[in-house]
Protein backbone atom coordinates (compact mmCIF):
# COMPACT_ATOMS: atom_id res chain seq x y z
CA UNK A 1 0.00 0.00 0.00
CA UNK A 2 1.31 3.46 -0.87
CA UNK A 3 0.12 5.77 1.91
CA UNK A 4 -0.95 9.34 1.35
CA UNK A 5 1.17 10.46 4.31
CA UNK A 6 3.58 8.78 6.66
CA UNK A 7 5.87 9.84 9.53
CA UNK A 8 9.68 9.72 9.32
CA UNK A 9 10.82 8.72 12.81
CA UNK A 10 14.06 6.90 13.53
CA UNK A 11 17.12 6.34 15.68
CA UNK A 12 17.70 10.03 16.47
CA UNK A 13 14.19 10.51 17.85
CA UNK A 14 14.52 7.27 19.87
CA UNK A 15 17.81 8.48 21.33
CA UNK A 16 16.24 11.84 22.26
CA UNK A 17 13.41 10.02 24.06
CA UNK A 18 15.92 7.76 25.84
CA UNK A 19 17.68 10.85 27.19
CA UNK A 20 14.39 12.22 28.52
CA UNK A 21 13.71 8.88 30.23
CA UNK A 22 17.07 8.98 31.99
CA UNK A 23 16.64 12.62 33.03
CA UNK A 24 13.64 11.50 35.11
CA UNK A 25 11.66 14.61 34.05
CA UNK A 26 9.05 13.95 31.39
CA UNK A 27 6.60 16.83 31.95
CA UNK A 28 6.76 20.41 30.73
CA UNK A 29 10.39 21.39 31.34
CA UNK A 30 13.77 22.22 29.80
CA UNK A 31 13.26 20.27 26.56
CA UNK A 32 9.89 21.90 25.99
CA UNK A 33 11.43 25.35 26.42
CA UNK A 34 14.29 24.35 24.12
CA UNK A 35 11.84 23.24 21.43
CA UNK A 36 9.91 26.51 21.78
CA UNK A 37 13.19 28.45 21.40
CA UNK A 38 14.23 26.44 18.35
CA UNK A 39 10.84 26.82 16.70
CA UNK A 40 10.86 30.57 17.47
CA UNK A 41 14.25 30.85 15.83
CA UNK A 42 12.97 28.96 12.79
CA UNK A 43 10.02 31.38 12.53
CA UNK A 44 11.97 34.52 13.41
CA UNK A 45 9.79 35.45 16.41
CA UNK A 46 10.49 35.89 20.13
CA UNK A 47 10.32 32.58 22.05
CA UNK A 48 7.94 34.15 24.63
CA UNK A 49 5.34 34.35 21.87
CA UNK A 50 5.17 30.53 21.53
CA UNK A 51 3.60 27.78 23.62
CA UNK A 52 4.16 24.09 22.90
CA UNK A 53 0.73 22.51 23.31
CA UNK A 54 -0.79 19.07 22.84
CA UNK A 55 -2.43 19.68 19.43
CA UNK A 56 -3.23 22.37 16.90
CA UNK A 57 -6.90 21.78 17.71
CA UNK A 58 -6.23 22.88 21.31
CA UNK A 59 -4.63 25.99 19.82
CA UNK A 60 -7.71 26.74 17.73
CA UNK A 61 -10.01 26.37 20.76
CA UNK A 62 -7.66 28.54 22.88
CA UNK A 63 -7.70 31.24 20.17
CA UNK A 64 -11.45 31.58 19.96
CA UNK A 65 -11.58 31.60 23.77
CA UNK A 66 -8.85 34.26 23.95
CA UNK A 67 -10.89 36.50 21.67
CA UNK A 68 -13.92 36.16 23.98
CA UNK A 69 -16.08 35.23 21.00
CA UNK A 70 -19.71 34.48 21.69
CA UNK A 71 -23.26 34.64 20.37
CA UNK A 72 -23.70 37.56 17.96
CA UNK A 73 -20.14 37.30 16.63
CA UNK A 74 -19.27 36.06 13.13
CA UNK A 75 -16.04 34.36 12.14
CA UNK A 76 -15.23 34.03 8.43
CA UNK A 77 -13.40 30.91 7.27
CA UNK A 78 -13.22 28.97 3.99
CA UNK A 79 -15.71 26.14 3.66
CA UNK A 80 -12.65 24.16 2.57
CA UNK A 81 -11.20 24.06 6.10
CA UNK A 82 -10.40 21.36 8.63
CA UNK A 83 -13.42 20.65 10.84
CA UNK A 84 -11.63 21.81 14.02
CA UNK A 85 -11.51 25.36 12.65
CA UNK A 86 -15.31 25.55 12.59
CA UNK A 87 -15.70 23.57 15.83
CA UNK A 88 -13.49 26.07 17.67
CA UNK A 89 -15.79 28.89 16.51
CA UNK A 90 -19.08 27.10 17.18
CA UNK A 91 -17.95 26.04 20.69
CA UNK A 92 -18.02 29.70 21.77
CA UNK A 93 -21.53 30.32 20.42
CA UNK A 94 -20.18 32.47 17.59
CA UNK A 95 -21.27 31.75 14.01
CA UNK A 96 -18.91 30.26 11.42
CA UNK A 97 -19.48 32.08 8.10
CA UNK A 98 -18.11 30.08 5.20
CA UNK A 99 -16.38 31.77 2.27
CA UNK A 100 -15.36 30.46 -1.13
CA UNK A 101 -11.94 29.40 -2.39
CA UNK A 102 -10.15 29.63 -5.72
CA UNK A 103 -11.11 26.41 -7.53
CA UNK A 104 -7.50 25.59 -8.49
CA UNK A 105 -5.42 26.63 -5.45
CA UNK A 106 -8.19 25.77 -2.95
CA UNK A 107 -7.04 28.82 -0.99
CA UNK A 108 -9.39 31.79 -0.45
CA UNK A 109 -8.54 35.03 -2.24
CA UNK A 110 -8.87 38.33 -0.40
CA UNK A 111 -12.00 38.95 -2.50
CA UNK A 112 -13.53 35.68 -1.22
CA UNK A 113 -12.91 36.83 2.37
CA UNK A 114 -14.23 40.35 1.70
CA UNK A 115 -17.49 38.99 0.25
CA UNK A 116 -18.21 37.00 3.44
CA UNK A 117 -17.38 39.72 5.98
CA UNK A 118 -20.31 41.26 7.86
CA UNK A 119 -20.43 44.09 10.44
CA UNK A 120 -20.44 41.30 13.04
CA UNK A 121 -17.19 39.72 11.80
CA UNK A 122 -14.72 39.59 14.71
CA UNK A 123 -12.18 37.21 13.22
CA UNK A 124 -11.03 35.46 10.06
CA UNK A 125 -9.48 31.98 10.15
CA UNK A 126 -7.49 30.81 7.14
CA UNK A 127 -5.32 27.79 6.54
CA UNK A 128 -2.68 27.58 3.81
CA UNK A 129 -3.99 24.83 1.56
CA UNK A 130 -1.49 22.03 1.16
CA UNK A 131 1.15 24.25 2.76
CA UNK A 132 0.92 26.85 -0.04
CA UNK A 133 0.76 30.38 1.45
CA UNK A 134 -1.96 31.60 -0.92
CA UNK A 135 -3.24 35.19 -0.62
CA UNK A 136 -2.07 35.52 3.00
CA UNK A 137 -0.27 38.86 2.57
CA UNK A 138 -3.35 40.60 1.12
CA UNK A 139 -5.69 38.86 3.58
CA UNK A 140 -3.55 40.03 6.53
CA UNK A 141 -3.60 43.63 5.22
CA UNK A 142 -7.37 43.45 4.69
CA UNK A 143 -7.96 42.25 8.27
CA UNK A 144 -5.54 44.76 9.78
CA UNK A 145 -7.26 47.67 7.97
CA UNK A 146 -10.63 46.65 9.41
CA UNK A 147 -9.56 45.72 12.93
CA UNK A 148 -10.52 42.09 12.34
CA UNK A 149 -8.37 39.50 14.13
CA UNK A 150 -6.61 37.08 11.78
CA UNK A 151 -6.03 33.52 12.97
CA UNK A 152 -3.73 31.51 10.72
CA UNK A 153 -4.25 27.77 10.92
CA UNK A 154 -0.66 27.04 9.90
CA UNK A 155 -1.04 23.36 10.83
CA UNK A 156 0.42 22.14 7.55
CA UNK A 157 2.64 25.16 6.88
CA UNK A 158 5.66 24.41 9.03
CA UNK A 159 8.10 25.61 6.34
CA UNK A 160 5.82 27.92 4.32
CA UNK A 161 6.79 31.54 3.79
CA UNK A 162 6.29 34.57 1.55
CA UNK A 163 9.47 36.52 0.73
CA UNK A 164 11.13 34.84 3.70
CA UNK A 165 8.38 35.70 6.19
CA UNK A 166 6.84 32.59 7.72
CA UNK A 167 3.20 31.64 7.43
CA UNK A 168 1.65 32.02 10.85
CA UNK A 169 3.41 35.33 11.51
CA UNK A 170 1.20 37.41 9.21
CA UNK A 171 -1.82 37.35 11.51
CA UNK A 172 -2.48 37.77 15.24
CA UNK A 173 -2.63 34.14 16.35
CA UNK A 174 -1.41 30.95 14.68
CA UNK A 175 -0.90 27.28 15.36
CA UNK A 176 1.14 24.49 13.78
CA UNK A 177 0.32 20.78 14.09
CA UNK A 178 2.73 17.95 14.85
CA UNK A 179 0.02 15.31 14.48
CA UNK A 180 1.19 11.95 13.10
CA UNK A 181 0.33 12.84 9.49
CA UNK A 182 2.04 16.21 9.34
CA UNK A 183 5.44 17.05 7.79
CA UNK A 184 7.11 16.88 11.20
CA UNK A 185 5.46 14.99 14.04
CA UNK A 186 5.66 14.50 17.79
CA UNK A 187 2.88 11.88 17.77
CA UNK A 188 0.48 14.53 19.00
CA UNK A 189 1.48 18.13 19.48
CA UNK A 190 1.15 21.70 18.32
CA UNK A 191 2.74 25.12 18.63
CA UNK A 192 0.69 28.22 19.42
CA UNK A 193 1.84 31.72 18.46
CA UNK A 194 0.19 34.82 19.92
CA UNK A 195 1.57 38.11 18.61
CA UNK A 196 0.27 40.41 21.38
CA UNK A 197 2.31 39.99 24.61
CA UNK A 198 -0.67 40.59 26.92
CA UNK A 199 -2.89 38.15 25.04
CA UNK A 200 0.06 35.75 24.91
CA UNK A 201 0.33 35.75 28.70
CA UNK A 202 -3.39 35.04 28.93
CA UNK A 203 -2.90 32.16 26.48
CA UNK A 204 -0.16 30.78 28.77
CA UNK A 205 -2.59 30.86 31.69
CA UNK A 206 -5.51 29.37 29.78
CA UNK A 207 -3.26 26.56 28.54
CA UNK A 208 -2.39 25.46 32.07
CA UNK A 209 -5.19 25.65 34.67
CA UNK A 210 -5.15 29.45 34.72
CA UNK A 211 -1.81 29.42 36.54
CA UNK A 212 0.14 32.66 36.19
CA UNK A 213 3.66 32.40 34.83
CA UNK A 214 4.69 28.79 34.52
CA UNK A 215 8.35 29.85 34.82
CA UNK A 216 7.89 30.91 38.49
CA UNK A 217 9.60 27.82 39.86
CA UNK A 218 12.49 27.55 37.43
CA UNK A 219 14.98 29.46 39.59
CA UNK A 220 15.46 28.93 43.29
CA UNK A 221 15.50 32.66 43.99
CA UNK A 222 12.04 33.03 42.47
CA UNK A 223 10.42 30.53 44.86
CA UNK A 224 8.08 32.55 47.05
CA UNK A 225 7.21 31.79 50.64
CA UNK A 226 4.11 29.52 50.75
CA UNK A 227 4.74 28.47 47.16
CA UNK A 228 1.66 26.23 47.28
CA UNK A 229 -0.72 29.16 47.12
CA UNK A 230 -2.33 29.58 43.71
CA UNK A 231 -2.92 32.93 42.05
CA UNK A 232 -5.64 31.88 39.62
CA UNK A 233 -7.66 34.55 37.84
CA UNK A 234 -8.65 32.66 34.67
CA UNK A 235 -10.65 29.51 34.09
CA UNK A 236 -7.94 27.49 32.36
CA UNK A 237 -7.62 24.09 30.86
CA UNK A 238 -4.65 21.76 30.46
CA UNK A 239 -3.33 21.58 26.93
CA UNK A 240 0.44 22.05 27.28
CA UNK A 241 3.01 19.68 25.77
CA UNK A 242 5.72 17.74 27.57
CA UNK A 243 9.46 17.04 27.40
CA UNK A 244 9.03 13.63 25.73
CA UNK A 245 7.17 14.98 22.73
CA UNK A 246 9.24 18.19 22.69
CA UNK A 247 12.46 16.13 22.48
CA UNK A 248 11.06 14.38 19.40
CA UNK A 249 10.02 17.75 18.00
CA UNK A 250 13.55 19.18 18.28
CA UNK A 251 14.96 16.29 16.23
CA UNK A 252 12.17 16.52 13.65
CA UNK A 253 12.69 20.27 13.28
CA UNK A 254 16.42 19.71 12.62
CA UNK A 255 15.56 17.09 9.98
CA UNK A 256 12.80 19.19 8.41
CA UNK A 257 14.85 20.79 5.60
CA UNK A 258 15.58 17.35 4.12
CA UNK A 259 11.89 16.39 4.42
CA UNK A 260 10.82 19.55 2.60
CA UNK A 261 13.47 19.08 -0.07
CA UNK A 262 12.23 15.52 -0.73
CA UNK A 263 8.62 16.74 -0.90
CA UNK A 264 9.66 19.42 -3.37
CA UNK A 265 11.37 16.78 -5.54
CA UNK A 266 8.28 14.55 -5.45
CA UNK A 267 6.09 17.51 -6.43
CA UNK A 268 8.36 18.29 -9.38
CA UNK A 269 8.42 14.63 -10.43
CA UNK A 270 4.61 14.44 -10.38
CA UNK A 271 4.49 17.72 -12.34
CA UNK A 272 6.85 16.28 -14.96
CA UNK A 273 5.18 12.85 -15.22
CA UNK A 274 1.67 14.33 -15.44
CA UNK A 275 2.50 17.11 -17.90
CA UNK A 276 0.28 17.11 -20.99
CA UNK A 277 -1.74 14.08 -19.88
CA UNK A 278 -5.25 14.41 -21.29
CA UNK A 279 -7.84 14.74 -18.54
CA UNK A 280 -5.40 15.60 -15.73
CA UNK A 281 -4.93 19.15 -14.46
CA UNK A 282 -1.92 19.72 -12.22
CA UNK A 283 -1.88 22.13 -9.25
CA UNK A 284 -0.90 25.72 -10.09
CA UNK A 285 2.76 26.48 -9.33
CA UNK A 286 3.28 28.72 -6.26
CA UNK A 287 3.88 32.38 -7.24
CA UNK A 288 7.40 33.87 -7.12
CA UNK A 289 8.55 34.50 -3.56
CA UNK A 290 6.29 31.78 -2.10
CA UNK A 291 7.89 28.88 -0.22
CA UNK A 292 5.69 25.82 0.28
CA UNK A 293 5.73 22.93 2.75
CA UNK A 294 4.47 20.67 -0.09
CA UNK A 295 1.98 19.03 2.22
CA UNK A 296 -0.53 18.10 -0.49
CA UNK A 297 -0.17 17.27 -4.16
CA UNK A 298 -3.45 17.29 -6.03
CA UNK A 299 -4.79 16.73 -9.49
CA UNK A 300 -8.13 17.84 -10.91
CA UNK A 301 -10.15 15.44 -13.05
CA UNK A 302 -13.50 15.38 -14.79
CA UNK A 303 -15.99 15.06 -11.87
CA UNK A 304 -17.71 12.27 -13.81
CA UNK A 305 -14.67 10.00 -13.35
CA UNK A 306 -12.93 11.34 -10.18
CA UNK A 307 -14.49 8.87 -7.71
CA UNK A 308 -13.98 5.89 -10.05
CA UNK A 309 -10.33 6.81 -10.52
CA UNK A 310 -9.90 6.97 -6.71
CA UNK A 311 -11.40 3.47 -6.42
CA UNK A 312 -9.23 2.10 -9.24
CA UNK A 313 -6.13 3.46 -7.48
CA UNK A 314 -7.22 1.97 -4.15
CA UNK A 315 -7.58 -1.42 -5.90
CA UNK A 316 -3.96 -1.00 -7.05
CA UNK A 317 -2.77 -0.28 -3.49
CA UNK A 318 -2.59 3.50 -3.85
CA UNK A 319 -4.42 5.59 -1.29
CA UNK A 320 -5.78 8.93 -2.49
CA UNK A 321 -8.33 11.25 -0.90
CA UNK A 322 -9.93 14.67 -0.94
CA UNK A 323 -9.39 17.38 1.71
CA UNK A 324 -11.26 19.24 3.06
CA UNK A 325 -14.83 18.16 2.56
CA UNK A 326 -16.66 21.54 2.39
CA UNK A 327 -17.94 22.35 5.87
CA UNK A 328 -21.14 23.98 4.60
CA UNK A 329 -22.16 20.49 3.41
CA UNK A 330 -21.32 18.73 6.71
CA UNK A 331 -24.54 18.06 8.70
CA UNK A 332 -23.68 20.09 11.83
CA UNK A 333 -22.59 23.16 9.86
CA UNK A 334 -24.92 22.81 6.87
CA UNK A 335 -25.64 26.22 5.39
CA UNK A 336 -27.21 27.56 2.23
CA UNK A 337 -24.15 29.05 0.63
CA UNK A 338 -23.37 29.77 -2.99
CA UNK A 339 -19.70 28.83 -3.20
CA UNK A 340 -18.94 27.93 -6.83
CA UNK A 341 -15.16 27.61 -6.44
CA UNK A 342 -15.63 25.29 -3.49
CA UNK A 343 -18.21 23.17 -5.31
CA UNK A 344 -15.96 22.85 -8.35
CA UNK A 345 -12.89 21.87 -6.31
CA UNK A 346 -14.80 19.40 -4.14
CA UNK A 347 -16.07 17.61 -7.26
CA UNK A 348 -12.84 17.33 -9.22
CA UNK A 349 -9.88 17.32 -6.80
CA UNK A 350 -7.94 14.22 -5.78
CA UNK A 351 -4.92 14.26 -3.46
CA UNK A 352 -2.05 11.92 -4.36
CA UNK A 353 0.39 10.29 -1.93
CA UNK A 354 3.18 12.66 -0.87
CA UNK A 355 5.59 12.18 2.02
CA UNK A 356 9.36 12.14 2.43
CA UNK A 357 9.39 8.31 2.68
CA UNK A 358 8.25 7.84 -0.94
CA UNK A 359 11.01 6.71 -3.30
CA UNK A 360 11.19 7.48 -7.02
CA UNK A 361 9.70 4.10 -7.96
CA UNK A 362 6.65 4.77 -5.73
CA UNK A 363 6.12 8.18 -7.34
CA UNK A 364 6.37 6.67 -10.84
CA UNK A 365 3.94 3.90 -9.87
CA UNK A 366 1.38 6.46 -8.61
CA UNK A 367 1.72 8.59 -11.75
CA UNK A 368 1.54 5.55 -14.10
CA UNK A 369 -1.49 4.05 -12.37
CA UNK A 370 -3.22 7.46 -12.29
CA UNK A 371 -2.64 7.94 -16.04
CA UNK A 372 -3.94 4.43 -16.79
CA UNK A 373 -7.02 4.85 -14.60
CA UNK A 374 -7.84 8.25 -16.11
CA UNK A 375 -7.40 6.97 -19.66
CA UNK A 376 -9.53 3.88 -18.99
CA UNK A 377 -12.33 5.80 -17.21
CA UNK A 378 -12.40 8.55 -19.85
CA UNK A 379 -12.75 5.92 -22.59
CA UNK A 380 -15.64 4.17 -20.80
CA UNK A 381 -17.35 7.50 -20.04
CA UNK A 382 -17.29 8.34 -23.75
CA UNK A 383 -18.57 4.95 -25.00
C1 LIG B 1 -4.10 18.45 11.19
C2 LIG B 1 -4.78 19.75 11.08
C3 LIG B 1 -5.38 20.35 12.19
C4 LIG B 1 -5.47 19.67 13.52
O1 LIG B 1 -4.21 19.41 14.06
P1 LIG B 1 -4.11 18.53 15.39
O2 LIG B 1 -2.71 18.77 15.86
O3 LIG B 1 -4.34 17.11 14.95
O4 LIG B 1 -5.13 18.99 16.33
C5 LIG B 1 -5.96 21.58 12.03
N1 LIG B 1 -5.96 22.22 10.85
C6 LIG B 1 -5.39 21.67 9.75
C7 LIG B 1 -5.40 22.44 8.47
C8 LIG B 1 -4.79 20.41 9.82
O5 LIG B 1 -4.26 19.86 8.73
Amino acid sequence: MINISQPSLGAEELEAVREVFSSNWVGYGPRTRAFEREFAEHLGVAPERLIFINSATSGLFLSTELLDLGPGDDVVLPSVSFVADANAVAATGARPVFCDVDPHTLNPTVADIARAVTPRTRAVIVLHYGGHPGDIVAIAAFCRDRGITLIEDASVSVASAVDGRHCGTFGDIAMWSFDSRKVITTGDGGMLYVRDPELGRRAQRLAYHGVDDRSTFTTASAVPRRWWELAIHDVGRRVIGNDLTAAIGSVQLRRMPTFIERRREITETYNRLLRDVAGIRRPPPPPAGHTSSYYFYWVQLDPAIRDDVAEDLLDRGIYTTFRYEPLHTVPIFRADADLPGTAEAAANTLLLPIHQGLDDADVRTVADELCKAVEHRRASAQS
Side-chain angles (χ1 to χ4, degrees), residues 55-57 82 85 127 153 155-156 177 179 182 189 324:
S55 72
T57 299
F82 186 63
D85 299 57
L127 61 91
D153 177 353
S155 286
V156 303
S177 171
D179 158 86
K182 299 303 186 321
Y324 303 86

Side-chain angles (χ1 to χ4, degrees), residues 78-252:
S79 182
V80 179
S81 290
F82 186 63
V83 66
D85 299 57
N87 283 341
V89 174
T92 65
R95 182 174 68 138
V97 175
F98 298 114
C99 75
D100 209 3
V101 293
D102 176 279
H104 304 302
T105 65
L106 285 85
N107 265 322
T109 63
V110 68
D112 291 323
I113 302 279
R115 259 195 306 278
V117 163
T118 71
R120 305 185 338 170
T121 302
R122 293 270 318 279
V124 166
I125 305 180
V126 288
L127 61 91
H128 321 90
Y129 189 80
H132 298 298
D135 222 0
I136 195 65
V137 174
I139 292 170
F142 173 89
C143 291
R144 209 167 33 246
D145 288 349
R146 283 157 189 78
I148 297 172
T149 300
L150 175 60
I151 299 173
E152 284 182 85
D153 177 353
S155 286
V156 303
S157 312
V158 73
S160 308
V162 180
D163 296 329
R165 181 163 172 186
H166 276 269
C167 286
T169 67
F170 290 96
D172 302 287
I173 302 177
M175 62 293 302
W176 292 260
S177 171
F178 312 125
D179 158 86
S180 61
R181 293 155 300 179
K182 299 303 186 321
V183 177
I184 65 173
T185 182
T186 58
D188 280 320
M191 195 66 81
L192 180 70
Y193 165 75
V194 182
R195 177 202 302 282
D196 178 70
E198 191 64 39
L199 209 57
R201 277 188 290 276
R202 179 144 176 253
Q204 302 271 6
R205 298 194 295 272
L206 293 184
Y208 193 69
H209 306 297
V211 174
D212 215 358
D213 191 7
R214 67 205 147 94
S215 65
T216 301
F217 300 111
T218 51
T219 57
S221 62
V223 175
R225 217 171 126 78
R226 286 214 226 146
W227 49 87
W228 47 85
E229 288 181 354
L230 295 170
I232 309 248
H233 304 286
D234 298 271
V235 178
R237 47 185 90 234
R238 203 285 186 202
V239 295
I240 56 168
N242 64 68
D243 271 19
L244 276 173
T245 49
I248 298 172
S250 289
V251 177
Q252 289 268 292

